[in-house]
Amino acid sequence: MVNANTRRLDTWFEQLERVPLAEKFRVEVVGGNVHMTPQRAIHWQIISEILRAVEDRFGRDATIFSNVRIDFPGLENGFCPDVALLSATAEKADDDRWRHQDVEFVAEVISQGTAAIDYGPKRLAYAAAEVPLYLIADPYRGRCHIFTRPQDGDYTTETKVAFGQELDLTGTVLGLTLRTDAFPATDRPPRLPGAHSKSLAWEP
């Protein structure tokens, strides 16, 4: 059964699909706020490296995708993760969307204006959904943050690894070592909340 929260998100995304040029942005609803963020080359390069590594590990038949809506716990959280891997037994729900209960791995790459979201509300929502592994790749800090062991609405373990070093994820659901030497970094600082940004957010 579709609940009121899902119907509200459906309405948001249906309206956003009609916005001119919306297809050129990554569009999400986080805590009832709409965020539209343009994807930069540096952003997509890191996503591609992660996607390729996961596909090499699990094969092209694995349920892995980028920028596809999945509704997560919390009020109006319609996320479109940069990378999401679902379990081998994952099936779509009655509304023809993937369920957050089947998500085993999520990766987010920090963009201008999204740092506070990825480190804050998204981290908590992924933990509440008990996603076993959450990876943040931050080209502005030149490092990755690995979050594991979700419990009581947050992750209990965080590991930081600088770009250029290998991420030992062999003890996680991925079961692989992820190389980051091809992850590009930038000296440009991420935009602070409230600063002018091309990431747009507004309340319904």
Side-chain angles (χ1 to χ4, degrees):
M1 181 180 294
V2 178
N3 58 32
N5 191 62
T6 300
R7 287 197 296 270
R8 178 67 167 162
L9 285 169
D10 288 343
T11 300
W12 264 124
F13 280 96
E14 288 170 3
Q15 292 176 349
L16 289 165
E17 287 176 356
R18 303 188 188 103
V19 175
L21 301 179
E23 69 276 5
K24 297 183 180 296
F25 291 80
R26 181 191 186 203
V27 180
E28 299 183 291
V29 180
V30 182
N33 296 324
V34 177
H35 295 265
M36 299 176 64
T37 310
Q39 190 175 89
R40 304 176 188 276
I42 189 174
H43 185 258
W44 176 243
Q45 185 175 342
I46 296 174
I47 293 174
S48 298
E49 291 290 334
I50 298 172
L51 280 171
R52 189 176 301 113
V54 178
E55 286 182 347
D56 288 346
R57 168 68 176 83
F58 293 97
R60 294 188 178 275
D61 291 334
T63 307
I64 176 174
F65 41 68
S66 176
N67 200 23
V68 173
R69 175 186 164 190
I70 303 174
D71 295 347
F72 283 88
L75 177 63
E76 297 178 17
N77 281 330
F79 300 167
C80 301
D82 285 325
V83 180
L85 171 70
L86 275 60
S87 68
T89 58
E91 295 184 356
K92 288 186 176 181
D94 294 338
D95 58 6
D96 199 37
R97 276 193 293 273
W98 298 106
R99 306 181 319 133
H100 68 77
Q101 292 89 340
D102 294 320
V103 179
E104 294 189 333
F105 165 66
V106 167
E108 299 284 10
V109 182
I110 298 296
S111 297
Q112 287 279 53
T114 69
I117 298 169
D118 292 331
Y119 283 111
K122 278 192 170 183
R123 188 195 81 242
L124 298 178
Y126 291 145
E130 298 186 345
V131 176
L133 176 62
Y134 174 35
L135 168 65
I136 292 178
D138 190 337
Y140 302 97
R141 298 181 179 180
R143 68 188 183 199
C144 292
H145 295 250
I146 305 162
F147 297 93
T148 56
R149 299 182 182 177
Q151 182 178 339
D152 299 328
D154 204 351
Y155 287 98
T156 60
T157 302
E158 177 184 3
T159 304
K160 302 175 185 178
V161 178
F163 282 11
Q165 299 181 10
E166 292 185 342
L167 302 186
D168 183 3
L169 303 175
T170 54
T172 72
V173 291
L174 287 189
L176 58 78
T177 298
L178 179 63
R179 296 182 58 179
T180 67
D181 50 316
F183 285 14
T186 177
D187 293 331
R188 179 187 299 177
R191 296 187 185 277
L192 299 175
H196 175 71
S197 173
K198 291 184 180 179
S199 176
L200 307 177
W202 65 91
E203 293 187 2

